[in-house]
């Protein structure tokens, strides 16, 4: 009779399904990684980001809404396209903000000037050329709060007469011409609304070179013919034969009507050419200004970031080295701790990196500098799920509850799932808050962190499981169980078993010690104060690379003598300086550059160096320029407090749903302890609290809750009579909590070491921008590991009304009691 293959068991079938899923995910990720590049943020590839906010054109009208912002966006898009920037990005953010990204643009002053011009484009007859000393009409300034806008009547005054059609403005004015002379111009004859388009063209055949072609609409064509016909009545060379094109009360061009045009006829046909000694850049800019016309509403620059390409390249290189070294150290540690399974976890870790990168590419997410930090940090956090599984498998195997490595591993994956899910959900809450409430690069960090969390779950629960189950099923592995790494208890667990400490016998002592640490750290906020960065206060940050080391104290004194007494100067790297000040104009920022240039050149008097066209001066190179408006700073401060409050509330709500309210309150109490300690340490160190710190703080919140979740998940299991220890139905609650702490402490130590190795590499190699982030996260990991054991657990005991015994757990209704094989880690 023919032999029949025995039917597949449910276990074999599920293993094959997981293997196919893992293979498909990894293969697809490799394909995406090789074919789809990740979009780099401007802080990595260099360029300028400008955030503009539309405002009401007058104090009497409501604020600019979505429709006005959309019209403004279209005008700005035309202006940016005419600038010739490669791959620019413009998008509306909310109802009133527009984000403009200009890769490769290192002169934000010029870009902001072109984008922010809002006055109406007008065409005027030239009446005369005034003497150079004659006063000219000043350009209008933005009104102060409560003052009427230019041209708007003051409260209680009658509105001026409306201009007649074809005469948008009345009265003569003296304006500065493009060549330096003062021009007296008559009333406006046309506006930008009469222009249909303008284009810069080059005529090499006639030798005319670059010129600008202007097309008018039907009404504008008649008005242009009338204006040029009147100008043509003057003799060639006479100033009154010229026509002034005015934007922002500045004459951007004043061409002369060609001698071939007859008096009274004018230029007809609806089109004209403006010729002159233009180069390509001047012709394109003039065409841009004429065709772009006026913005529908005024705009204000509320945020500006400029990063030089060298700084971005150094950041990528530093982060890459931090990722490589951190991953290598983590790999050595996990291989040393778990042997064969550790090797397979390292392979899964590499798959995690590929999956994360592919997800970023597919979603079209922008990888920013904080995002790189999140990517590197997620490497350390990705080990967490593997450690949870391997430690549960160790417990099952060493306690002889599972006779084989394969059955112990299967139980480890099953029992650790709830703890993995709960701990990762808490981190996802922090990532979502960063995305919703942060802005700019910090939002990119939230995206990267969220993708990293999901990718780590896939790599641990699918890829690692497939590889591990395949390995432990081999005959040579079954003959040598010690090679798996889960046949022995491990050093930490062995030491705890030998000493059997009762850490929770006097929980109030731990709480008193924690309170002392809390007071010591919190006093830093009261004594030193919190140094809020420009993200929250508004202001300007300038970072320079110098050819020689410049003493920050000397630079601070020189800037104070130059009129910047509140400038905060700090060393940046080996040869560099960072200057933080309040609101600075571009002229004042150039003055700061000149002062530092003089110091770099050895001139102690300062102020004698001149800035070159690229923003550098005398060896000083401006590699970073950030501007945060006061209104945006207030908004970010408000959002930071909201994010912190929502994070604490969301964690409490989630933990109250998943656990008893008692455990949720204890975990949030430990979380508040970590937040105060971290802020206090930064206050004592004098480190700035900015958007990067906010990203680190919310990450610490997620990480800290992870450890508390694992401990309370084990307490919940023991309360239900499960676990590898003594059933806890009638045990004293301190003993039961102590058992849970001792059983989960090996996982806590191993996970903390993995994160510390990665963060240490990031702090040492990550560069100036990421050093503070890595330091905050490093402090948070250490404090969070401590608080999960010595704050959360003792606090739960003190809050428990019946802590003498564990006989009064609040069971969920309609929830059946589960066995040890069905409960968490």
């Amino acid at each position: 009779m023919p032999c029949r293959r025995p039917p597949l068991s449910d276990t074999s079938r599920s293993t094959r399904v997981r293997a196919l899923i893992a293979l498909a995910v990894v293969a697809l990720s490799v394909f995406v990684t090789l074919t789809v590049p990740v979009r780099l943020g401007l802080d990595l590839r260099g360029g300028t980001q400008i955030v503009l906010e539309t405002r009401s054109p007058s104090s009497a009208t409501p604020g600019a809404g979505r429709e006005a912002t959309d019209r403004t966006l279209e005008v700005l898009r035309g202006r940016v396209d005419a600038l010739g920037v490669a791959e620019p990005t413009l998008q509306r953010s909310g109802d009133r903000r527009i984000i403009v990204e200009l890769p490769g643009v290192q002169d934000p002053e010029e870009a902001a000037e072109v984008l922010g011009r809002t006055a109406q484009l007008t065409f005027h007859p030239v009446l005369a050329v005034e003497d150079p000393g004659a006063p000219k009409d000043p350009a209008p300034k933005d009104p102060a709060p409560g003052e009427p806008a230019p041209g708007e009547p003051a409260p209680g005054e009658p509105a001026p007469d409306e201009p007649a059609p074809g005469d948008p403005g009345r009265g003569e004015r003296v304006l500065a011409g493009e060549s330096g002379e003062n021009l007296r111009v008559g009333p406006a004859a046309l506006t930008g609304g009469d222009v249909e388009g303008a284009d810069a063209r080059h005529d090499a055949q006639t030798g005319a070179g670059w010129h600008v072609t202007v097309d008018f609409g039907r009404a504008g064509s008649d008005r242009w013919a009338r204006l040029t016909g009147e100008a043509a009545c003057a003799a060639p060379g006479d100033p009154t034969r010229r026509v002034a094109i005015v934007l922002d009360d500045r004459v951007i061009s004043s061409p002369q009507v060609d001698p071939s045009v007859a008096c009274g006829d004018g230029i007809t046909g609806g089109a004209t050419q403006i010729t002159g000694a233009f180069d390509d850049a001047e012709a394109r800019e003039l065409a841009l200004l004429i065709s772009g016309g006026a913005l529908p509403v005024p705009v204000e620059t509320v945020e500006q970031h400029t990063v030089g390409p060298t700084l971005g390249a150094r950041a990528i290189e530093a982060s890459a080295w931090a990722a490589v070294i951190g991953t290598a150290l983590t790999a050595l540690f996990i291989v040393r701790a778990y042997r064969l399974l550790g090797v397979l976890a390292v392979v899964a870790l590499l798959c995690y990196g590929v999956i994360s990168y592919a997800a970023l590419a597919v979603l079209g997410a922008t990888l920013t500098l904080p995002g790189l930090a999140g990517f590197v940090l997620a490497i350390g956090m990705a080990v967490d799920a593997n450690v949870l599984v391997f430690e549960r498998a160790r417990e099952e195997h060493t306690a002889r509850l599972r006779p084989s490595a394969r059955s112990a591993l299967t139980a480890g994956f099953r029992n650790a799932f709830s703890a993995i899910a709960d701990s990762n959900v808490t981190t996802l809450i922090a990532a979502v808050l960063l995305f919703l409430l942060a802005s700019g690069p910090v939002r990119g960090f939230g995206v990267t962190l969220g993708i990293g969390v999901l990718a780590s779950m896939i790599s641990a629960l699918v890829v690692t499981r497939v590889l591990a189950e395949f390995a432990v099923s081999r005959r040579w592995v079954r003959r040598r169980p010690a090679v798996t790494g889960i046949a022995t208890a491990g050093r930490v667990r062995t030491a705890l078993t030998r000493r059997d400490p009762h850490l929770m016998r006097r929980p109030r002592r731990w709480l008193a010690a924690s309170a002392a640490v809390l007071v010591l750290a919190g006093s830093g906020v009261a004594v030193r104060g919190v140094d809020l960065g420009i993200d929250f206060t508004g202001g300007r940050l300038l970072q320079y690379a110098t050819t020689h080391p410049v003493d920050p104290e000397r630079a601070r004194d020189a800037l104070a003598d130059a009129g910047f007494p509140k400038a905060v100067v700090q060393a940046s790297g080996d040869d560099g300086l960072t200057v933080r000040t309040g609101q600075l104009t571009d002229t004042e920022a150039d003055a700061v550059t000149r002062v530092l240039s003089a110091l770099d050149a050895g001139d102690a008097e300062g102020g004698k160096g001149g800035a070159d066209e690229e923003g550098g001066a005398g060896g000083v190179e401006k590699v970073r320029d950030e501007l945060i408006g006061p209104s945006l700073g207030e908004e970010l401060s408000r959002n930071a407090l909201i994010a912190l409050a929502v994070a604490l509330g969301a964690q409490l709500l989630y933990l109250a749903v998943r656990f008893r309210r008692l455990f949720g309150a204890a975990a949030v109490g430990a979380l508040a302890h970590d937040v105060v300690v971290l802020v206090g340490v930064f206050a004592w160190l004098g480190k700035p609290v900015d958007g990067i710190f906010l990203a680190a703080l919310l990450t610490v919140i997620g990480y800290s809750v992870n450890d508390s979740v694992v401990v309370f998940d084990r307490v919940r299991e023991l309360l239900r009579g499960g676990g590898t220890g003594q059933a806890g139905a009638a045990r004293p609650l301190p003993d039961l909590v102590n058992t849970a702490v001792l059983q989960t402490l090996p996982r806590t130590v191993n996970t903390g070491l993995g994160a510390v190795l990665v963060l240490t590499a990031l702090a040492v190699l990550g560069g100036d921008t990421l050093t503070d982030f890595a330091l905050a996260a490093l402090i948070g990991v250490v404090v969070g590991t401590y608080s999960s054991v010595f704050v959360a657990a003792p606090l739960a005991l003190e809050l428990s009304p019946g802590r003498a015994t564990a006989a009064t757990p609040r069971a969920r209704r309609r929830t059946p009691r589960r066995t040890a094989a069905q409960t968490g880690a």
Side-chain angles (χ1 to χ4, degrees), residues 511-606:
L511 294 178
S514 301
V517 173
L518 199 65
V519 171
L520 179 61
S523 62
V525 178
V527 176
R528 296 288 300 271
V530 178
D531 181 16
L532 295 178
I534 65 169
D535 289 358
F536 300 140
T537 62
R540 196 154 189 170
L541 184 145
L542 304 168
Q543 183 175 345
Y544 298 92
T546 59
T547 55
H548 306 90
V550 177
D551 181 38
E553 290 294 335
R554 185 168 170 236
R556 191 176 298 114
D557 294 338
L559 289 175
D561 294 339
F564 305 100
K566 296 183 179 180
V568 178
V569 184
Q570 296 176 325
S572 175
D574 297 330
D575 296 325
L577 291 173
T578 299
V579 180
R580 284 193 296 130
T581 67
Q583 299 295 328
L584 288 184
T585 64
D586 293 332
T587 302
E588 291 171 333
D590 291 339
V592 172
T593 303
R594 288 194 296 271
V595 171
L596 298 182
S597 171
L599 291 177
D600 186 54
D603 186 354
E605 296 180 0

Side-chain angles (χ1 to χ4, degrees), residues 211-414:
H211 62 275
V212 177
T213 301
V214 183
D215 297 321
F216 297 98
R218 177 177 302 178
S221 176
D222 296 338
R223 293 171 186 169
W224 178 251
R226 185 164 57 249
L227 174 63
T228 54
E230 293 174 357
C233 294
D238 191 301
T240 59
R241 196 176 177 93
R242 296 162 65 179
V243 174
I245 305 175
V246 179
L247 182 69
D248 278 340
D249 277 347
R250 286 178 293 179
V251 179
I252 60 176
S253 181
S254 57
Q256 182 175 235
V257 177
D258 192 84
S260 62
V261 179
C263 175
D265 292 341
I267 302 175
T268 59
T272 188
Q273 287 186 0
I274 301 176
T275 58
F278 298 137
D279 58 20
D280 58 342
E282 293 171 339
R284 287 194 178 98
E285 182 177 358
L286 179 58
L288 161 68
L289 296 177
I290 294 176
S291 61
L295 296 177
V297 291
V299 295
E300 177 186 6
T301 300
V302 296
E303 186 177 4
Q304 174 183 304
H305 300 274
T306 300
V307 177
T310 56
L311 183 64
R314 288 199 301 266
I316 294 176
E317 181 180 2
S319 300
W321 276 109
V324 170
I325 295 178
T327 303
L329 293 175
T330 304
L332 290 175
F333 164 71
I334 198 170
V335 169
R336 175 67 181 83
Y338 300 108
R339 301 181 186 180
L340 175 62
L341 293 182
V343 173
L344 300 179
V346 171
V347 175
L349 200 60
L350 297 178
C351 294
Y352 152 80
V354 175
I355 294 172
S356 299
Y357 184 92
L360 285 172
V362 168
L363 294 177
T366 300
L367 184 61
T368 61
L369 188 57
L372 265 181
F375 188 84
V376 176
L377 175 61
I379 294 175
M381 299 180 68
V383 180
D384 183 29
N386 292 312
V387 171
L388 274 169
V389 171
F390 295 160
E391 287 298 329
R392 283 310 302 255
R394 270 182 170 175
E395 292 183 47
E396 298 284 342
H397 201 36
T398 55
R400 297 294 185 264
L401 297 178
R402 305 289 175 178
S404 66
R406 180 170 185 177
S407 60
L409 191 64
T410 301
F413 275 103
R414 182 172 59 248

Side-chain angles (χ1 to χ4, degrees), residues 28 49 53 76 103 124 147 171 216-217 294 353 379 415 510 602 618 659 702:
L28 181 61
Q49 181 190 69
E53 185 173 76
L76 291 176
H124 301 256
E147 295 183 0
F216 297 98
I379 294 175
N415 297 341
W510 294 117
F659 300 93

Side-chain angles (χ1 to χ4, degrees), residues 53-107:
E53 185 173 76
T54 57
R55 297 182 301 159
S56 168
S58 67
S59 59
T61 58
R66 182 186 296 262
E67 182 178 352
T69 304
D70 287 336
R71 294 200 311 270
T72 304
L73 178 62
E74 293 306 316
V75 175
L76 291 176
R77 197 182 304 279
R79 294 185 177 186
V80 169
D81 291 342
L83 284 174
V85 179
E87 299 181 2
T89 301
L90 290 90
Q91 59 181 353
R92 179 169 51 79
S93 176
D95 290 339
R96 299 179 57 189
R97 287 196 181 139
I98 297 174
I99 301 175
V100 183
E101 293 185 354
L102 307 173
V105 173
Q106 300 302 312
D107 188 0

